[in-house]
Amino acid sequence: RKRILITGGAGFVGSHLVDDLMIQGHEVIVVDNFFTGRKRNVAHWLGHENFELIHHDIVNPLFIEIDEIYHLASPASPPHYMYNPVKTIKTNTMGTINVLGLAKRVMAKVLIASTSEVYGDPTVHPQPETYWGHVNPIGPRACYDEGKRVSETLSYAYAKQEKVQVRVARIFNTYGPRMHMNDGRVVSNFILQALRNETITVYGNGRQTRSFQYVSDLVDGMIALMASNYTQPVNLGNPVEQSIEDFAQIIKQLVGGPSMIKQTKAVEDDPQRRKPDITRARHYLKWEPKVPLEKGLRQTISYFRNELARSD
Amino acid sequence: RKRILITGGAGFVGSHLVDDLMIQGHEVIVVDNFFTGRKRNVAHWLGHENFELIHHDIVNPLFIEIDEIYHLASPASPPHYMYNPVKTIKTNTMGTINVLGLAKRVMAKVLIASTSEVYGDPTVHPQPETYWGHVNPIGPRACYDEGKRVSETLSYAYAKQEKVQVRVARIFNTYGPRMHMNDGRVVSNFILQALRNETITVYGNGRQTRSFQYVSDLVDGMIALMASNYTQPVNLGNPVEQSIEDFAQIIKQLVGGPSMIKQTKAVEDDPQRRKPDITRARHYLKWEPKVPLEKGLRQTISYFRNELARSD
Ligand SMILES: NC(=O)c1ccc[n+]([C@@H]2O[C@H](COP(=O)([O-])OP(=O)(O)OC[C@H]3O[C@@H](n4cnc5c(N)ncnc54)[C@H](O)[C@@H]3O)[C@@H](O)[C@H]2O)c1
Ligand SMILES: NC(=O)c1ccc[n+]([C@@H]2O[C@H](COP(=O)([O-])OP(=O)(O)OC[C@H]3O[C@@H](n4cnc5c(N)ncnc54)[C@H](O)[C@@H]3O)[C@@H](O)[C@H]2O)c1
Ligand SMILES: O=c1ccn([C@@H]2O[C@H](COP(=O)(O)OP(=O)(O)O)[C@@H](O)[C@H]2O)c(=O)[nH]1
Ligand SMILES: O=c1ccn([C@@H]2O[C@H](COP(=O)(O)OP(=O)(O)O)[C@@H](O)[C@H]2O)c(=O)[nH]1
Ligand SMILES: O=c1ccn([C@@H]2O[C@H](COP(=O)(O)OP(=O)(O)O)[C@@H](O)[C@H]2O)c(=O)[nH]1
Ligand SMILES: O=c1ccn([C@@H]2O[C@H](COP(=O)(O)OP(=O)(O)O)[C@@H](O)[C@H]2O)c(=O)[nH]1
């Protein structure tokens, strides 16, 4: 039984990780500033003797005693991270420095939630971890992309210099219950639009691709990575690639209803193709995604339906 | 007459900038932690009523009242920045955040000393400012390269969000008097080796290239950039490209003496070609380098000769 800190644990991915680690019997401490997370995501654990929720912003130092850290604190969707770019960079630089400083002091293992965005708009396809990426350092997505890149750089600098044990998960697009309804991302937009019988908005020509992973697969991968001895970055994502156009069709069919699909203005620096090469994860973690898209989407659609009903 | 802060002003480039701005009659405040800089570089101004030297580490907040900031604080040569990678990243993230926070509060204009290393090992040649770069986020040079990239990202985030006026100079290899004798870079290594009649060490096959700019040209460019209305990044470098092999020959000839030139082991992630496209600087700043390589090298060699004599 370990004492495990999850920064950003009140968010979408973090709260599922909390569930798994609590069920495994660990002591779990969540640190969150509730920028994009909410208490409700972990409300079912409040009052449990193994659970603690700390309202704290990770850009400020944090002094607690723990064995492992999952460092997820950071806005994740473009509208959220572009809302306050300066804060996004501070969270991913100063926040990561504090987490690594804490890990160094208490000799905790740290898993950093990095992202496929470190590859930017990739020129290599699919993306292996050895690919250096293609990122605009001063573009609209840079606060997140460069923030995450330097947070990886920091991790390996602390690993080499201070012997901190780090694990780096490069997470690809993930969806599932508790994802934000209004984060402007494709999964939530399309499901909401379909549920509300509104037009489904495809940005640009819809030929850009993404690969969508269900959140339980990601959580399994993160726990496997933390437990493993492998220290280089590992892609965690579902290699089944989808064009956004096709994805719109799939959502429309699963939800049913009369929504039209319409192309609208393309967004700046939108990565054109994204698909993880998961050879490393398969080999070193014996991990691969298990949940088929349709099954995962059905769960997510039903979550959204309930949420909409609640708010009515 | 302005009050001008120069972070890293006791270093090689900074101290030349101090000279120019003092001669122009400004009030100059230098902030330096003397990691790679030294008091001697600005000793000739100590006691002058327009000059102040503050011993301060820029990773800590700084509260002073100024009109302009040249932000140069950061180790610059590979051996220096790899000496303590964690500190290098802290300086370029937390240090830059403090400088931008200061600029925001006092509404000062800021020029950020960025670097050609944001292009990494470029696949485009010569490098225009629109090139996104090719950087290994977890390689041995990453602490510097990614640190500088995110420091650019921060600058434009503060510019957009907080209306801070920023200028970004992407500086290419620069040499001249007061450069470090023992920083392990090619100019200092080759000159010292030649002066000491030792073997001149070319790393790898010597076909990799660099473009060397004399420090007075750089200082002119930085002052012109600060004065201009142009807010996008600007390359400041000399477009005359040299293979390292040829460069060794040139130094050998200028110094004279019996040194042999020998190829040794290549270094990891060594950029293979580097040459600035200075169209922007020519157009927006009416700037271009003036000092020919041979002239600049003679000044530098004579500086090194004196330094060696002093230390004997
Ligand atoms: N969901 C994805 O598709 C995806 C893809 C790649 C990477 N990731 C990464 O996974 C992590 C979790 O993402 P998510 O989808 O759960 O996003 P989320 O927004 O639901 O969760 C992030 C959590 O971090 C908290 N947070 C943000 N800034 C903070 C700060 N300064 N101090 C303390 N807490 C802070 C938020 O309140 C939220 O609870 C993030 O680091 C994200 O970059 C997610
Ligand atoms: N010289 C070049 O070829 C070159 C090329 C590209 C970019 N640059 C950039 O230009 C700037 C100056 O470079 P330089 O060649 O004069 O190097 P330098 O090492 O001589 O000067 C850097 C100065 O910053 C100071 N410093 C470092 N960390 C600090 C900290 N945390 N707080 C306060 N002061 C600190 C050092 O003591 C030194 O005086 C750097 O930002 C460098 O990255 C230089
Ligand atoms: O238990 C700890 C230990 C450190 N830190 C922070 O982590 C950062 C980086 O730590 P490091 O040891 O690298 O920095 P140092 O204390 O040496 O400046 C510092 O700003 C600390 O405030 C923290 O938040 N909790
Ligand atoms: O309503 C939407 C939202 C997103 N997208 C597209 O869907 C892809 C995924 O976008 P998202 O914001 O979900 O995540 P990203 O992978 O870009 O971070 C991108 O190509 C977007 O342009 C879309 O066509 N319509
Ligand atoms: O005169 C100043 C004003 C701010 N800062 C520092 O600059 C950083 C960023 O400033 P910002 O205004 O963005 O941060 P905030 O104070 O809003 O957290 C902060 O950590 C401050 O400590 C500083 O060193 N000098
Ligand atoms: O003694 C030396 C020092 C450097 N170099 C090469 O010279 C180039 C410039 O190296 P430097 O460290 O001066 O600066 P960089 O431009 O790589 O930051 C690189 O290709 C180095 O491998 C060399 O051949 N011999």
Side-chain angles (χ1 to χ4, degrees), chain B:
Chain B
R1 173 163 140 191
K2 299 204 176 93
R3 273 180 307 182
I4 303 177
L5 166 64
I6 307 180
T7 73
F12 160 50
V13 174
S15 65
H16 287 278
L17 191 56
V18 169
D19 291 350
D20 271 35
L21 295 173
M22 283 297 293
I23 288 166
Q24 287 182 13
H26 297 292
E27 261 178 65
V28 174
I29 303 174
V30 165
V31 161
D32 208 294
N33 72 348
F34 302 112
F35 170 47
T36 52
R38 13 175 228 181
K39 229 183 230 172
R40 189 144 73 81
N41 287 340
V42 292
H44 45 292
W45 297 115
L46 291 176
H48 192 293
E49 59 174 356
N50 288 351
F51 184 77
E52 188 181 345
L53 177 59
I54 302 177
H55 189 153
H56 176 83
D57 194 310
I58 200 64
V59 305
N60 299 310
L62 174 70
F63 293 88
I64 57 175
E65 312 307 307
I66 32 78
D67 306 305
E68 285 184 352
I69 309 175
Y70 290 88
H71 177 42
L72 276 66
S74 165
S77 76
H80 289 151
Y81 66 67
M82 290 180 196
Y83 172 74
N84 185 339
V86 167
K87 183 59 191 269
T88 299
I89 310 175
K90 284 180 180 167
T91 296
N92 278 296
T93 56
M94 297 164 68
T96 302
I97 289 172
N98 287 331
V99 163
L100 290 163
L102 168 61
K104 167 184 147 186
R105 183 180 61 79
V106 302
M107 292 186 285
K109 227 188 209 181
V110 194
L111 184 147
I112 302 285
S114 184
T115 166
S116 54
E117 296 263 346
V118 300
Y119 304 125
D121 188 0
T123 55
V124 166
H125 197 79
Q127 294 83 53
E129 291 87 348
T130 47
Y131 178 52
W132 290 2
H134 182 223
V135 169
N136 181 352
I138 59 172
R141 302 174 85 104
C143 56
Y144 184 69
D145 300 6
E146 293 292 348
K148 288 287 185 179
R149 283 173 70 96
V150 82
S151 134
E152 290 196 9
T153 314
L154 275 163
S155 303
Y156 289 107
Y158 273 88
K160 193 166 170 195
Q161 199 174 320
E162 309 288 359
K163 313 289 166 235
V164 174
Q165 292 191 63
V166 302
R167 303 288 179 270
V168 173
R170 291 189 177 151
I171 303 171
F172 283 65
N173 298 56
T174 306
Y175 69 98
R178 296 190 204 142
M179 71 187 300
H180 304 268
M181 309 253 291
N182 302 307
D183 69 355
R185 303 187 80 169
V186 68
V187 179
S188 42
N189 273 12
F190 285 6
I191 294 181
L192 275 186
Q193 289 163 339
L195 286 173
R196 288 173 170 154
N197 300 329
E198 293 166 0
T199 303
I200 297 179
T201 55
V202 169
Y203 300 158
N205 61 22
R207 284 199 293 270
Q208 73 270 38
T209 68
R210 290 294 186 276
S211 308
F212 298 99
Q213 135 178 273
Y214 190 65
V215 65
S216 64
D217 283 331
L218 171 60
V219 167
D220 289 348
M222 291 173 81
I223 292 175
L225 176 58
M226 179 68 102
S228 86
N229 289 322
Y230 192 72
T231 58
Q232 289 296 295
V234 176
N235 288 338
L236 294 178
N238 193 318
V240 179
E241 192 180 0
Q242 223 79 47
S243 77
I244 295 301
E245 182 78 68
D246 289 351
F247 191 63
Q249 293 290 353
I250 295 173
I251 301 268
K252 183 181 149 80
Q253 273 168 26
L254 288 178
V255 175
S259 285
M260 313 255 289
I261 297 174
K262 228 174 136 173
Q263 297 183 1
T264 65
K265 216 164 85 43
V267 293
E268 199 181 334
D269 287 352
D270 197 6
Q272 286 309 295
R273 299 184 70 185
R274 194 186 287 150
K275 168 180 167 169
D277 176 334
I278 60 166
T279 312
R280 273 196 189 171
R282 283 206 172 96
H283 182 77
Y284 291 103
L285 313 183
K286 314 288 170 221
W287 171 90
E288 63 181 3
K290 294 201 180 76
V291 182
L293 186 65
E294 206 184 298
K295 184 171 168 203
L297 282 178
R298 284 193 197 282
Q299 310 252 24
T300 313
I301 291 165
S302 117
Y303 168 80
F304 273 61
R305 233 186 225 115
N306 286 336
E307 289 292 295
L308 282 183
R310 262 174 50 102
S311 62
D312 280 348

Side-chain angles (χ1 to χ4, degrees), chain A residues 189-231:
Chain A
N189 274 12
F190 285 6
I191 295 181
L192 275 187
Q193 288 163 341
L195 285 173
R196 290 174 170 152
N197 301 327
E198 292 166 359
T199 303
I200 297 179
T201 54
V202 169
Y203 300 159
N205 61 20
R207 284 201 292 272
Q208 73 269 38
T209 69
R210 292 294 186 276
S211 308
F212 298 101
Q213 134 178 275
Y214 190 64
V215 64
S216 64
D217 283 331
L218 171 60
V219 167
D220 289 348
M222 291 173 81
I223 292 176
L225 176 58
M226 180 67 104
S228 85
N229 290 321
Y230 192 71
T231 57

Side-chain angles (χ1 to χ4, degrees), chain A residues 43 59 93 95 151 188 213 266 286 288:
Chain A
V59 304
T93 55
S151 133
S188 43
Q213 134 178 275
K286 313 290 170 221
E288 62 181 3

Side-chain angles (χ1 to χ4, degrees), chain A residues 2-306:
Chain A
K2 297 203 178 96
R3 273 181 306 183
I4 303 178
L5 166 65
I6 306 180
T7 73
F12 161 49
V13 174
S15 66
H16 287 279
L17 191 57
V18 169
D19 291 350
D20 271 36
L21 295 173
M22 284 296 293
I23 288 166
Q24 288 183 12
H26 297 292
E27 262 179 64
V28 174
I29 303 174
V30 165
V31 161
D32 207 295
N33 71 348
F34 302 111
F35 170 47
T36 52
R38 14 174 229 178
K39 230 183 227 173
R40 191 146 72 82
N41 288 339
V42 292
H44 46 292
W45 297 114
L46 291 175
H48 192 295
E49 60 174 356
N50 288 351
F51 183 76
E52 187 180 346
L53 177 60
I54 302 177
H55 189 154
H56 175 82
D57 194 312
I58 200 64
V59 304
N60 299 310
L62 174 71
F63 293 88
I64 57 175
E65 312 307 308
I66 33 77
D67 304 308
E68 284 185 352
I69 309 175
Y70 289 88
H71 177 42
L72 276 65
S74 165
S77 78
H80 289 151
Y81 66 66
M82 290 181 196
Y83 171 75
N84 184 339
V86 167
K87 183 57 191 268
T88 300
I89 311 176
K90 283 180 180 167
T91 296
N92 278 297
T93 55
M94 296 164 68
T96 302
I97 289 171
N98 287 331
V99 163
L100 290 163
L102 168 60
K104 167 183 148 188
R105 183 179 60 80
V106 301
M107 290 186 285
K109 228 187 207 182
V110 194
L111 183 147
I112 302 286
S114 183
T115 166
S116 54
E117 297 263 345
V118 300
Y119 304 124
D121 189 359
T123 55
V124 166
H125 197 78
Q127 294 83 53
E129 292 86 348
T130 47
Y131 178 50
W132 289 2
H134 182 223
V135 169
N136 181 351
I138 58 173
R141 302 174 84 103
C143 57
Y144 184 68
D145 300 7
E146 293 293 348
K148 288 287 185 179
R149 283 173 71 96
V150 82
S151 133
E152 290 197 9
T153 314
L154 274 163
S155 303
Y156 289 106
Y158 273 89
K160 192 165 171 197
Q161 199 174 321
E162 310 289 356
K163 312 290 166 237
V164 174
Q165 291 191 64
V166 302
R167 302 288 179 270
V168 173
R170 292 188 177 152
I171 302 171
F172 283 64
N173 297 58
T174 305
Y175 70 98
R178 298 191 201 139
M179 71 187 302
H180 305 268
M181 309 251 293
N182 302 308
D183 69 354
R185 304 187 77 170
V186 69
V187 179
S188 43
N189 274 12
F190 285 6
I191 295 181
L192 275 187
Q193 288 163 341
L195 285 173
R196 290 174 170 152
N197 301 327
E198 292 166 359
T199 303
I200 297 179
T201 54
V202 169
Y203 300 159
N205 61 20
R207 284 201 292 272
Q208 73 269 38
T209 69
R210 292 294 186 276
S211 308
F212 298 101
Q213 134 178 275
Y214 190 64
V215 64
S216 64
D217 283 331
L218 171 60
V219 167
D220 289 348
M222 291 173 81
I223 292 176
L225 176 58
M226 180 67 104
S228 85
N229 290 321
Y230 192 71
T231 57
Q232 289 296 296
V234 176
N235 288 338
L236 294 178
N238 193 318
V240 178
E241 192 179 359
Q242 223 80 46
S243 78
I244 295 303
E245 183 78 68
D246 290 351
F247 191 63
Q249 293 289 354
I250 295 172
I251 301 267
K252 182 180 150 79
Q253 273 168 25
L254 288 179
V255 175
S259 286
M260 313 254 290
I261 297 174
K262 226 174 136 176
Q263 295 183 2
T264 64
K265 214 164 85 46
V267 294
E268 197 181 335
D269 286 352
D270 198 5
Q272 286 309 295
R273 300 184 70 186
R274 195 186 286 151
K275 169 181 167 168
D277 177 333
I278 60 166
T279 313
R280 271 195 191 171
R282 283 206 171 97
H283 182 78
Y284 291 103
L285 313 182
K286 313 290 170 221
W287 172 90
E288 62 181 3
K290 294 200 181 73
V291 182
L293 186 64
E294 206 184 298
K295 184 172 168 203
L297 281 178
R298 285 194 195 282
Q299 311 253 22
T300 312
I301 291 166
S302 118
Y303 168 81
F304 273 62
R305 238 192 218 109
N306 286 335

